[in-house]
Amino acid sequence: MHFAEVKSTQDETAFPFSLLRKIPSAMAIMILAAGGEYLVYIHRITTDEWFCIRTR
């Protein structure tokens, strides 16, 4: 089971992680407690590239 956030950026070299939620939603907390993963998908608009970051 996974919980994901999807964010976009126009920055060519970095992603401001301050854009992510400081406190996960109740659903995210339940999924993590059950052994699931919290994923962050980042779309770099300028190059149409996608990145997936697994967090814990």
Side-chain angles (χ1 to χ4, degrees):
M1 197 175 318
H2 304 285
F3 180 84
E5 282 192 60
V6 180
K7 302 292 181 181
S8 61
T9 184
Q10 293 186 23
D11 193 305
E12 291 289 331
T13 59
F15 175 76
F17 282 89
S18 61
L19 295 177
L20 298 178
R21 295 177 185 213
K22 305 240 183 300
I23 301 172
S25 70
M27 181 61 71
I29 291 169
M30 289 177 10
I31 289 171
L32 290 171
E37 292 182 295
Y38 193 120
L39 305 174
V40 178
Y41 290 97
I42 301 171
H43 180 226
R44 184 182 294 154
I45 296 171
T46 55
T47 59
D48 197 27
E49 292 177 276
W50 285 90
F51 303 92
C52 179
I53 300 171
R54 287 180 169 81
T55 64
R56 265 319 235 161

